[in-house]
Structure formats: C-alpha cells, structure tokens
C-alpha cells in the first residue's frame, strides 16, 4: 500500500488531494510541524526532514508536484493526467511545476520571515518583498482563468491540484485577500471538489487518531 508522510495542510496536501481524487488506497502517517524538530525519528525515514515523503514499494519520492505527476501517470488512463499525445501536455507539466516552483516558493519565504522564525530573526521587508513577488506571478493567471474553468486540457488535472495548493497556502499566509476576481472564483470552485473536501477530512481524522495537532503547519508560529 502507498504510504504518505504528511503534516496538516503542508505541501504534502498535494499528494493527499491527488490520492483522494484518484480513489487510491493509502496509509496516511501524520507528523507534527516541523518534523525535523518535533519528530526527530522521521530523519531516519527521510534524511531531508521534509514532507511529503511517498513510499510505493521501492519508489520513494519527496517532491509534491512530482508525486502528483507520478500518481496520475501510474493510474492512467485518468482525466487527472495529460498524456504526451495531448496538445496540452507541455502546458500541463508547466502548470504542475509552476504551482510549486513559482507560486509556493515565494510564500515559504513570507511564512518563514513573518511567522516561523523567532521574533528577533523575523524580517518584515523580506516577507513583504516575497508577498509582492507571489502576487505578481499569480496575476499572470488572471486572463487565463477569466476565460476557462481549468488551467489546461479543458478539464481538472493534477496541474489544478498543484496550483490549487498554492492558493490554499495563500489563505494561510494571508495573501488570499489580494486574489484577483477570476483567480478567486477558480479557487472557490476547486474548494468545492469532493476530493479536496475529503482530503481535508482525512488529514484531520488521521491527525486526531494519531495524536498529532490539527493546527495547520502554515499557521505554526515561531517562539517570541
Ligand atoms: N519542493 C518540495 C518542498 C518540500 C518542503 O520543503 N516541505 C516543507 C513543508 S511544506 C517542509 O517539510 N518543511 C519542514 C522543514 O524544512 O524542516 C515539495 O514540493 O514537496
């Protein structure tokens, strides 16, 4: 069975959401955030100390967007996956990785320097600069989403999960209030998906059952 190591509402939510959309069985192992400080034994399983970690037989993966791609390709044919022969194959891969590399990375700097670090190490200017960076890059999706319901291939795919998680993170980082109208409507639609709602329920249920806090990882604050 597929094993997914996960912290509440952290990037590992992408594979969790994908597993729910695909209806695959999985074993969800919840960790407190950050695991490298609060679950030291996890370093034996994943020396990077990061989540997600997905184990599927001999396969071990630690990149959330790549895991979504892997799960969908492994389950093909599925509408979540865009095949090489489809016209939007390139757009699919681009948005899948845009969600992490372009839309999530700047938010992690916002969270780190505005929230996670101890007060003396916080850097409001860095947080503000990367918030602007995130919002400027997000705005490039506005014309596209004003004219279509999904990012590519005319249907909901793993690319929407990847970008969708970046929008979910923005709700936690406080940047969602600055979404442009079509991005906001797109995010509202994604949140209504059964797979998204089930993923939220599954992480909460698993956290409670495993005695792990249900506070979302992005809402964690560093010491004063
Ligand atoms: N690019 C990786 C980033 C993985 C990552 O940095 N995850 C964060 C949580 S969202 C983490 O584990 N942080 C804890 C730490 O760095 O100690 C991905 O997309 O999965």
């Amino acid at each position: 069975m597929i094993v997914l190591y996960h912290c509440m509402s952290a990037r590992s939510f992408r594979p969790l959401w994908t597993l729910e959309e695909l209806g695959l069985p999985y074993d969800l192992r919840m960790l407190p955030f950050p695991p490298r400080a609060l679950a030291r034994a996890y370093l034996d399983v994943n020396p990077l100390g990061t989540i997600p970690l997905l184990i599927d037989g001999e396969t071990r993966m630690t990149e959330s967007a790549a895991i979504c791609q892997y799960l969908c390709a492994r389950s093909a044919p599925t509408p979540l996956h865009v095949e090489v022969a489809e016209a939007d194959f390139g757009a699919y891969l681009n948005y899948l990785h845009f969600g992490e590399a372009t839309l999530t990375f700047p938010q992690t700097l916002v969270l780190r320097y505005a929230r996670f670090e101890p007060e003396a190490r916080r850097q409001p200017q860095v947080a503000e600069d990367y918030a602007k960076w995130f919002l400027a890059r997000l705005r490039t999706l506005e014309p596209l989403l004003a004219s279509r319901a999904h990012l590519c291939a005319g249907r909901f795919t793993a690319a929407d999960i990847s970008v969708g998680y970046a929008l979910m993170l923005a709700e936690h980082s406080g940047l969602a209030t600055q979404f442009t109208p079509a991005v906001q409507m797109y995010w509202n639609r994604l949140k209504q998906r059964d797979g998204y709602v089930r993923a939220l329920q599954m992480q909460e249920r698993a956290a409670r059952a495993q005695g792990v806090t249900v506070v979302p990882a992005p809402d964690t604050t560093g010491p004063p």
Side-chain angles (χ1 to χ4, degrees):
M1 163 140 15
I2 291 171
V3 176
L4 177 64
Y5 287 86
H6 174 53
C7 294
M8 288 291 290
S9 298
R11 283 173 175 97
S12 38
F13 192 84
R14 284 191 181 108
L16 176 59
W17 185 358
T18 305
L19 286 162
E20 282 297 332
E21 292 281 354
L22 291 170
L24 292 173
Y26 60 90
D27 174 5
L28 188 61
R29 304 205 184 152
M30 301 298 298
L31 295 165
F33 183 84
R36 81 186 128 74
L38 301 178
R40 300 283 301 167
Y42 178 61
L43 291 169
D44 296 336
V45 187
N46 175 15
L48 281 174
T50 55
I51 45 89
L53 168 65
L54 180 121
I55 303 177
D56 181 20
E58 295 299 308
T59 301
R60 298 168 56 86
M61 299 181 71
T62 56
E63 286 293 332
S64 60
I67 295 171
C68 297
Q69 188 178 344
Y70 168 81
L71 291 171
C72 293
R74 177 190 182 277
S75 305
T78 162
L80 260 68
H81 181 61
V82 178
E83 299 290 344
V84 180
E86 290 185 67
D88 268 0
F89 176 62
Y92 168 66
L93 292 183
N94 200 60
Y95 286 123
L96 189 58
H97 296 283
F98 180 84
E100 170 58 18
T102 299
L103 294 184
T104 302
F105 163 71
Q107 294 190 78
T108 63
L109 291 169
V110 173
L111 288 169
R112 175 167 181 182
Y113 288 107
R115 195 175 293 171
F116 294 162
E117 287 286 346
E119 263 173 30
R121 292 201 79 250
R122 289 188 195 157
Q123 302 204 35
Q125 188 61 59
V126 173
E128 198 182 308
D129 289 351
Y130 280 93
K132 280 191 196 142
W133 186 17
F134 164 71
L135 289 165
R137 274 146 187 77
L138 184 61
R139 271 197 296 277
T140 64
L141 292 184
E142 180 67 16
L144 181 91
L145 292 172
S147 64
R148 56 170 92 158
H150 300 105
L151 291 169
C152 60
R155 60 182 188 268
F156 177 82
T157 69
D160 296 294
I161 292 178
S162 181
V163 169
Y165 174 72
L167 303 180
M168 176 182 173
L169 186 61
E171 286 196 337
H172 292 281
S173 67
L175 297 174
T177 54
Q178 295 176 69
F179 284 175
T180 48
V183 169
Q184 183 64 61
M185 285 193 312
Y186 168 69
W187 175 226
N188 291 345
R189 285 194 304 275
L190 291 184
K191 282 194 288 188
Q192 283 166 17
R193 290 191 66 86
D194 289 346
Y196 175 82
V197 173
R198 275 198 310 274
L200 284 177
Q201 291 167 343
M202 292 307 288
Q203 65 169 3
E204 180 160 348
R205 195 178 305 162
R208 291 191 193 286
Q210 295 170 33
V212 172
T213 175
V214 293
V215 174
D219 296 351
T220 307
T221 45

mmCIF file of all heavy atoms in Angstrom, residues 7 9-12 14 33-37 48-52 62-65 67 100 104 108 165 217, ligand 1:
data_model
loop_
_atom_site.group_PDB
_atom_site.id
_atom_site.type_symbol
_atom_site.label_atom_id
_atom_site.label_comp_id
_atom_site.label_asym_id
_atom_site.label_seq_id
_atom_site.Cartn_x
_atom_site.Cartn_y
_atom_site.Cartn_z
ATOM 1 N N CYS A 7 2.139 16.526 6.998
ATOM 2 C CA CYS A 7 1.812 17.470 8.076
ATOM 3 C C CYS A 7 0.556 18.220 7.650
ATOM 4 O O CYS A 7 0.380 18.496 6.454
ATOM 5 C CB CYS A 7 2.926 18.496 8.288
ATOM 6 S SG CYS A 7 4.467 17.803 8.901
ATOM 7 N N SER A 9 -2.055 20.314 6.212
ATOM 8 C CA SER A 9 -2.148 21.400 5.223
ATOM 9 C C SER A 9 -0.799 21.899 4.698
ATOM 10 O O SER A 9 -0.696 23.023 4.205
ATOM 11 C CB SER A 9 -2.952 22.585 5.797
ATOM 12 O OG SER A 9 -4.260 22.162 6.091
ATOM 13 N N ALA A 10 0.243 21.071 4.834
ATOM 14 C CA ALA A 10 1.539 21.414 4.226
ATOM 15 C C ALA A 10 1.542 20.912 2.775
ATOM 16 O O ALA A 10 0.541 20.375 2.297
ATOM 17 C CB ALA A 10 2.665 20.781 5.034
ATOM 18 N N ARG A 11 2.670 21.075 2.089
ATOM 19 C CA ARG A 11 2.711 20.708 0.660
ATOM 20 C C ARG A 11 2.298 19.262 0.392
ATOM 21 O O ARG A 11 1.878 18.927 -0.709
ATOM 22 C CB ARG A 11 4.115 20.897 0.120
ATOM 23 C CG ARG A 11 4.540 22.309 -0.162
ATOM 24 C CD ARG A 11 5.969 22.172 -0.495
ATOM 25 N NE ARG A 11 6.654 23.344 -0.937
ATOM 26 C CZ ARG A 11 7.382 24.098 -0.121
ATOM 27 N NH1 ARG A 11 7.426 23.853 1.163
ATOM 28 N NH2 ARG A 11 8.053 25.124 -0.613
ATOM 29 N N SER A 12 2.468 18.415 1.372
ATOM 30 C CA SER A 12 2.056 17.019 1.231
ATOM 31 C C SER A 12 0.542 16.902 1.032
ATOM 32 O O SER A 12 0.025 15.823 0.735
ATOM 33 C CB SER A 12 2.505 16.221 2.453
ATOM 34 O OG SER A 12 2.376 16.994 3.631
ATOM 35 N N ARG A 14 -0.842 18.176 -1.461
ATOM 36 C CA ARG A 14 -1.000 17.924 -2.912
ATOM 37 C C ARG A 14 -1.163 16.423 -3.197
ATOM 38 O O ARG A 14 -2.130 16.025 -3.838
ATOM 39 C CB ARG A 14 0.201 18.478 -3.691
ATOM 40 C CG ARG A 14 0.214 19.971 -3.878
ATOM 41 C CD ARG A 14 1.291 20.379 -4.885
ATOM 42 N NE ARG A 14 1.335 21.822 -5.048
ATOM 43 C CZ ARG A 14 2.315 22.608 -4.589
ATOM 44 N NH1 ARG A 14 3.353 22.082 -3.960
ATOM 45 N NH2 ARG A 14 2.269 23.910 -4.776
ATOM 46 N N PHE A 33 4.628 19.634 12.880
ATOM 47 C CA PHE A 33 5.446 20.513 12.033
ATOM 48 C C PHE A 33 6.296 21.441 12.894
ATOM 49 O O PHE A 33 5.777 22.065 13.806
ATOM 50 C CB PHE A 33 4.533 21.326 11.110
ATOM 51 C CG PHE A 33 5.307 22.192 10.153
ATOM 52 C CD1 PHE A 33 5.784 21.662 8.961
ATOM 53 C CD2 PHE A 33 5.569 23.530 10.453
ATOM 54 C CE1 PHE A 33 6.509 22.454 8.081
ATOM 55 C CE2 PHE A 33 6.292 24.306 9.577
ATOM 56 C CZ PHE A 33 6.756 23.776 8.389
ATOM 57 N N PRO A 34 7.604 21.563 12.593
ATOM 58 C CA PRO A 34 8.365 20.858 11.565
ATOM 59 C C PRO A 34 8.872 19.519 12.099
ATOM 60 O O PRO A 34 9.370 19.451 13.234
ATOM 61 C CB PRO A 34 9.533 21.792 11.283
ATOM 62 C CG PRO A 34 9.762 22.552 12.566
ATOM 63 C CD PRO A 34 8.426 22.619 13.261
ATOM 64 N N PRO A 35 8.800 18.471 11.294
ATOM 65 C CA PRO A 35 9.204 17.138 11.766
ATOM 66 C C PRO A 35 10.669 17.067 12.195
ATOM 67 O O PRO A 35 10.995 16.370 13.136
ATOM 68 C CB PRO A 35 8.948 16.219 10.566
ATOM 69 C CG PRO A 35 8.316 17.020 9.515
ATOM 70 C CD PRO A 35 8.233 18.442 9.940
ATOM 71 N N ARG A 36 11.547 17.865 11.507
ATOM 72 C CA ARG A 36 12.985 17.773 11.852
ATOM 73 C C ARG A 36 13.205 18.174 13.304
ATOM 74 O O ARG A 36 14.166 17.746 13.945
ATOM 75 C CB ARG A 36 13.824 18.594 10.888
ATOM 76 C CG ARG A 36 13.881 20.059 11.183
ATOM 77 C CD ARG A 36 14.614 20.838 10.118
ATOM 78 N NE ARG A 36 13.797 21.948 9.676
ATOM 79 C CZ ARG A 36 13.595 23.046 10.393
ATOM 80 N NH1 ARG A 36 14.142 23.173 11.575
ATOM 81 N NH2 ARG A 36 12.820 24.009 9.929
ATOM 82 N N ALA A 37 12.317 19.026 13.890
ATOM 83 C CA ALA A 37 12.464 19.448 15.293
ATOM 84 C C ALA A 37 11.554 18.643 16.216
ATOM 85 O O ALA A 37 11.929 18.337 17.345
ATOM 86 C CB ALA A 37 12.133 20.936 15.422
ATOM 87 N N LEU A 48 16.102 14.261 4.597
ATOM 88 C CA LEU A 48 15.833 15.662 4.285
ATOM 89 C C LEU A 48 15.012 16.315 5.401
ATOM 90 O O LEU A 48 15.047 17.528 5.581
ATOM 91 C CB LEU A 48 15.018 15.774 2.990
ATOM 92 C CG LEU A 48 15.710 15.633 1.642
ATOM 93 C CD1 LEU A 48 14.650 15.641 0.533
ATOM 94 C CD2 LEU A 48 16.678 16.780 1.432
ATOM 95 N N GLY A 49 14.220 15.508 6.077
ATOM 96 C CA GLY A 49 13.354 16.029 7.136
ATOM 97 C C GLY A 49 12.104 16.712 6.617
ATOM 98 O O GLY A 49 11.308 17.242 7.387
ATOM 99 N N THR A 50 11.924 16.725 5.302
ATOM 100 C CA THR A 50 10.776 17.438 4.726
ATOM 101 C C THR A 50 9.613 16.489 4.466
ATOM 102 O O THR A 50 9.784 15.273 4.373
ATOM 103 C CB THR A 50 11.183 18.096 3.390
ATOM 104 O OG1 THR A 50 11.728 17.079 2.529
ATOM 105 C CG2 THR A 50 12.223 19.180 3.596
ATOM 106 N N ILE A 51 8.450 17.086 4.321
ATOM 107 C CA ILE A 51 7.301 16.317 3.846
ATOM 108 C C ILE A 51 6.844 17.021 2.562
ATOM 109 O O ILE A 51 7.052 18.238 2.412
ATOM 110 C CB ILE A 51 6.179 16.227 4.917
ATOM 111 C CG1 ILE A 51 5.910 17.590 5.578
ATOM 112 C CG2 ILE A 51 6.525 15.225 5.993
ATOM 113 C CD1 ILE A 51 4.921 18.356 4.886
ATOM 114 N N PRO A 52 6.269 16.311 1.617
ATOM 115 C CA PRO A 52 5.874 14.908 1.693
ATOM 116 C C PRO A 52 7.046 13.945 1.533
ATOM 117 O O PRO A 52 8.080 14.271 0.980
ATOM 118 C CB PRO A 52 4.938 14.770 0.474
ATOM 119 C CG PRO A 52 5.470 15.756 -0.514
ATOM 120 C CD PRO A 52 5.951 16.927 0.307
ATOM 121 N N THR A 62 10.016 12.734 -2.721
ATOM 122 C CA THR A 62 9.922 13.821 -1.737
ATOM 123 C C THR A 62 9.495 15.162 -2.354
ATOM 124 O O THR A 62 9.513 16.174 -1.672
ATOM 125 C CB THR A 62 11.279 14.034 -1.028
ATOM 126 O OG1 THR A 62 12.276 14.288 -2.022
ATOM 127 C CG2 THR A 62 11.686 12.825 -0.196
ATOM 128 N N GLU A 63 9.136 15.169 -3.633
ATOM 129 C CA GLU A 63 8.703 16.416 -4.278
ATOM 130 C C GLU A 63 7.199 16.332 -4.557
ATOM 131 O O GLU A 63 6.749 15.460 -5.310
ATOM 132 C CB GLU A 63 9.472 16.648 -5.582
ATOM 133 C CG GLU A 63 10.907 17.080 -5.383
ATOM 134 C CD GLU A 63 11.046 18.477 -4.758
ATOM 135 O OE1 GLU A 63 10.150 19.321 -4.939
ATOM 136 O OE2 GLU A 63 12.059 18.716 -4.087
ATOM 137 N N SER A 64 6.452 17.282 -3.991
ATOM 138 C CA SER A 64 4.985 17.169 -4.039
ATOM 139 C C SER A 64 4.423 17.172 -5.462
ATOM 140 O O SER A 64 3.525 16.375 -5.769
ATOM 141 C CB SER A 64 4.350 18.278 -3.201
ATOM 142 O OG SER A 64 4.722 19.543 -3.692
ATOM 143 N N ALA A 65 4.923 18.056 -6.327
ATOM 144 C CA ALA A 65 4.365 18.109 -7.687
ATOM 145 C C ALA A 65 4.737 16.845 -8.467
ATOM 146 O O ALA A 65 3.914 16.284 -9.211
ATOM 147 C CB ALA A 65 4.878 19.354 -8.417
ATOM 148 N N ILE A 67 5.218 13.947 -7.191
ATOM 149 C CA ILE A 67 4.402 12.839 -6.667
ATOM 150 C C ILE A 67 3.016 12.844 -7.326
ATOM 151 O O ILE A 67 2.490 11.793 -7.700
ATOM 152 C CB ILE A 67 4.287 12.916 -5.125
ATOM 153 C CG1 ILE A 67 5.662 12.707 -4.469
ATOM 154 C CG2 ILE A 67 3.282 11.887 -4.602
ATOM 155 C CD1 ILE A 67 5.692 12.988 -2.962
ATOM 156 N N GLU A 100 4.382 24.776 -7.675
ATOM 157 C CA GLU A 100 5.368 24.645 -6.603
ATOM 158 C C GLU A 100 6.488 25.682 -6.753
ATOM 159 O O GLU A 100 6.709 26.513 -5.868
ATOM 160 C CB GLU A 100 5.960 23.226 -6.605
ATOM 161 C CG GLU A 100 7.162 23.013 -5.702
ATOM 162 C CD GLU A 100 6.917 23.337 -4.231
ATOM 163 O OE1 GLU A 100 5.751 23.411 -3.791
ATOM 164 O OE2 GLU A 100 7.913 23.538 -3.514
ATOM 165 N N THR A 104 4.592 28.623 -4.840
ATOM 166 C CA THR A 104 4.715 28.204 -3.435
ATOM 167 C C THR A 104 6.022 28.706 -2.826
ATOM 168 O O THR A 104 6.033 29.190 -1.687
ATOM 169 C CB THR A 104 4.599 26.668 -3.319
ATOM 170 O OG1 THR A 104 3.341 26.280 -3.881
ATOM 171 C CG2 THR A 104 4.658 26.211 -1.865
ATOM 172 N N THR A 108 6.803 30.524 0.959
ATOM 173 C CA THR A 108 7.530 29.909 2.077
ATOM 174 C C THR A 108 8.470 30.946 2.714
ATOM 175 O O THR A 108 8.697 30.915 3.920
ATOM 176 C CB THR A 108 8.338 28.667 1.629
ATOM 177 O OG1 THR A 108 9.328 29.065 0.690
ATOM 178 C CG2 THR A 108 7.444 27.614 1.026
ATOM 179 N N TYR A 165 -3.042 24.058 -4.478
ATOM 180 C CA TYR A 165 -2.417 24.044 -3.141
ATOM 181 C C TYR A 165 -1.743 25.393 -2.854
ATOM 182 O O TYR A 165 -1.784 25.884 -1.720
ATOM 183 C CB TYR A 165 -1.403 22.899 -2.964
ATOM 184 C CG TYR A 165 -0.727 23.082 -1.621
ATOM 185 C CD1 TYR A 165 -1.434 22.820 -0.444
ATOM 186 C CD2 TYR A 165 0.546 23.638 -1.515
ATOM 187 C CE1 TYR A 165 -0.877 23.090 0.799
ATOM 188 C CE2 TYR A 165 1.106 23.914 -0.272
ATOM 189 C CZ TYR A 165 0.396 23.632 0.871
ATOM 190 O OH TYR A 165 0.928 23.921 2.109
ATOM 191 N N ALA A 217 0.103 23.332 9.446
ATOM 192 C CA ALA A 217 1.540 23.655 9.500
ATOM 193 C C ALA A 217 1.809 25.124 9.159
ATOM 194 O O ALA A 217 2.614 25.766 9.847
ATOM 195 C CB ALA A 217 2.310 22.722 8.560
HETATM 196 N N1 LIG B 1 9.777 21.221 -3.122
HETATM 197 C C1 LIG B 1 9.353 20.349 -2.068
HETATM 198 C C2 LIG B 1 9.440 21.111 -0.746
HETATM 199 C C3 LIG B 1 9.239 20.224 0.473
HETATM 200 C C4 LIG B 1 9.223 21.073 1.746
HETATM 201 O O1 LIG B 1 10.097 21.947 1.946
HETATM 202 N N2 LIG B 1 8.218 20.840 2.607
HETATM 203 C C5 LIG B 1 8.078 21.648 3.816
HETATM 204 C C6 LIG B 1 6.637 21.662 4.289
HETATM 205 S S1 LIG B 1 5.507 22.453 3.231
HETATM 206 C C7 LIG B 1 8.849 21.041 4.948
HETATM 207 O O2 LIG B 1 8.915 19.843 5.056
HETATM 208 N N3 LIG B 1 9.393 21.900 5.835
HETATM 209 C C8 LIG B 1 9.999 21.473 7.050
HETATM 210 C C9 LIG B 1 11.476 21.692 7.068
HETATM 211 O O3 LIG B 1 12.034 22.164 6.091
HETATM 212 O O4 LIG B 1 12.060 21.377 8.082
HETATM 213 C C10 LIG B 1 7.916 19.874 -2.364
HETATM 214 O O5 LIG B 1 7.251 20.451 -3.224
HETATM 215 O O6 LIG B 1 7.473 18.892 -1.775
#
